[in-house]
Amino acid sequence: MAFDINTKILTVTDGQSLSAAATLAADVIRHGGLAVFPTETVYGLGADGTNAEAAQKIYAAKGRPSDNPLIIHIYDPKDAEPYSVTCSLYYALAEAFMPGPLTVIMPKKDTVPYSTTGGLDTVAVRCPSHPVAREIIKQAGVPVAAPSANLSGKPSPTAARHCIDDLAGRVDVIIDGGECDIGLESTIVKIDVDDGGEDYLTLLRPGAVTCDALRCVCPRVDIARAVSEQLAQDEKPLSPGMKYKHYAPRAPLVLLDGDGESILAFLQKRQSECRCAILCYDEEIPHLENKRLLPVGPRDDMKTQAHLLFSNLRLADSTDAEIIYAHLPPHTGLGLALYNRMIRAAAHTVLRLEK
Ligand code: AMP
Ligand code: MG
């Protein structure tokens, strides 16, 4: 397919430009086109989620396999009604986390075409909090199917520049609303019913809404094995997206586990031996040579590390590094979301260093 669309790029700087940009993007979406817009997680590539052809355009523009389902974005939690079979647990989650970075999977209704759900009988629903995303969804008046606005296989985009690099010529409009606050994709949970008829959650993708926060609303939150472990070749994940090869930088990424002193000594030695890029803590900067360093924020600041991860992976690819080193994040809190993304980018390569 030839991609030669004359992509319009609009920047949001104030209320007036927000309103104009949202009107244009909503119009594009209502007419079956593709609009890229910022959300609080990452940039989204939006189309009318009730229009099978428009959803197919998303797959083509991204080069995404068509069995990898899309998330539909709504303005208000109750707007899920026409599209999904909701329940009291959905509304409890909505009360606690919406608008915000949580996606909930429920049985779909016939109003959602199978091309939006990748052939599944369930649909993923999210109500974003970003003002630009919200205004576009409100004005579009349809649920907006929107995966991350990157080419399939590239890191998710956290700034308009990343979307322009990947999708200019492939989409009708890109709205530049600055950097995404969170920088990692939404938490995804599926609502299931246990043998006793009680609803419970399965965490399919960790994000800024943490497991501990979910457990305050629903006592049983199972964690899908694919979140932190490598699945066997023939094992089917609960979330189709987890089976695809995820972003892997050009140079191999190796995650380092161990005490701070051993890791720093290892990195110093490697800098003298090879062309390595290092996703380093701010505290390590004075102890390393200023060569291919990609600071990730302070050691204990998971929020900043999440915010910078995808842009750092894109930057690492723009260096002449032959290998990339990064710290293995913890499995707790927001760390689990970072761990999930990084372990896949590293193809599960972890080097353990000890004194
Ligand atoms: P993205 O929008 O690019 O962040 O990807 C959305 C991800 O949501 C997909 O890759 C799937 O893994 C997941 N997803 C969406 N809909 C469903 C569904 N109905 N069942 C399970 N996972 C889903
Ligand atoms: Mg994606």
Side-chain angles (χ1 to χ4, degrees):
M1 187 186 274
F3 293 105
D4 53 6
I5 301 173
N6 181 13
T7 305
K8 289 198 184 74
I9 299 170
L10 269 72
T11 304
V12 172
T13 48
D14 54 18
Q16 205 178 351
S17 50
L18 188 158
S19 171
T23 302
L24 176 65
D27 202 50
V28 161
I29 291 170
R30 264 199 318 275
H31 288 92
L34 300 180
V36 169
F37 55 84
T39 81
E40 70 279 20
T41 56
V42 300
Y43 271 74
L45 167 54
D48 178 352
T50 63
N51 176 338
E53 256 173 58
Q56 269 151 11
K57 280 193 198 168
I58 291 182
Y59 292 107
K62 276 182 66 91
R64 177 175 173 125
S66 60
D67 66 343
N68 192 359
L70 307 174
I71 294 170
I72 63 166
H73 294 70
I74 54 176
Y75 183 72
D76 187 277
K78 69 177 181 321
D79 297 341
E81 288 300 336
Y83 311 108
S84 58
V85 182
T86 62
C87 58
S88 56
L89 178 51
Y90 167 72
Y91 281 103
L93 291 168
E95 177 71 29
F97 305 115
M98 293 182 193
L102 178 70
T103 297
V104 182
I105 294 174
M106 294 172 284
K108 84 171 195 72
K109 289 187 178 166
D110 289 345
T111 44
V112 186
Y114 280 108
S115 54
T116 297
T117 67
L120 299 174
D121 288 317
T122 49
V123 61
V125 178
R126 176 162 117 76
C127 174
S129 62
H130 194 290
V132 175
R134 291 186 62 68
E135 190 57 28
I136 292 172
I137 298 163
K138 188 167 142 197
Q139 291 199 28
V142 291
V144 178
S148 49
N150 54 298
L151 284 176
S152 205
K154 294 277 220 120
S156 290
T158 56
R161 166 53 45 200
H162 305 151
C163 308
I164 295 167
D165 287 348
D166 283 12
L167 297 175
R170 293 171 174 252
V171 300
D172 297 290
V173 60
I174 295 176
I175 311 291
D176 182 348
E179 279 185 25
C180 300
D181 182 25
I182 295 171
L184 296 180
E185 308 89 340
S186 60
T187 301
I188 303 182
V189 291
K190 183 166 186 287
I191 299 183
D192 281 313
V193 187
D194 69 16
D195 294 342
E198 285 284 323
D199 285 339
Y200 70 96
L201 297 175
T202 305
L203 178 75
L204 302 185
R205 180 171 76 186
V209 173
T210 62
C211 255
D212 285 346
L214 290 165
R215 288 195 175 110
C216 293
V217 176
C218 176
R220 178 171 168 196
V221 181
D222 294 359
I223 301 181
R225 230 170 64 74
V227 165
S228 54
E229 289 171 54
Q230 197 166 14
L231 295 183
Q233 287 254 308
D234 55 352
E235 204 172 338
K236 195 169 163 236
L238 295 172
S239 180
M242 297 217 192
K243 78 174 174 236
Y244 292 107
K245 184 174 167 293
H246 260 249
Y247 175 68
R250 204 176 28 75
L253 170 65
V254 175
L255 302 181
L256 305 175
D257 187 20
D259 65 280
E261 234 173 89
S262 306
I263 291 178
L264 192 56
F266 173 83
L267 290 173
Q268 286 164 335
K269 179 162 160 287
R270 292 302 285 155
Q271 278 198 311
S272 68
E273 291 171 347
C274 68
R275 293 193 313 274
C276 54
I278 303 174
L279 273 69
C280 65
Y281 296 137
D282 289 357
E283 295 88 334
E284 293 171 320
I285 298 172
H287 307 287
L288 291 166
E289 247 186 278
N290 188 11
K291 264 192 323 193
R292 298 180 212 86
L293 290 188
L294 301 165
V296 301
R299 182 185 299 271
D300 295 324
D301 183 352
M302 290 292 137
K303 252 182 145 166
T304 301
Q305 292 174 34
H307 177 75
L308 294 176
L309 176 67
F310 288 135
S311 59
N312 271 334
L313 289 177
R314 283 186 185 247
L315 282 174
D317 259 352
S318 69
T319 71
D320 61 349
E322 53 194 313
I323 190 159
I324 305 164
Y325 292 112
H327 292 270
L328 182 76
H331 285 47
T332 48
L334 185 56
L336 183 65
L338 267 171
Y339 179 89
N340 169 268
R341 307 311 189 277
M342 291 178 77
I343 198 87
R344 289 147 140 254
H348 294 264
T349 311
V350 179
L351 188 61
R352 291 186 209 286
L353 299 165
E354 276 161 38
K355 274 194 196 131

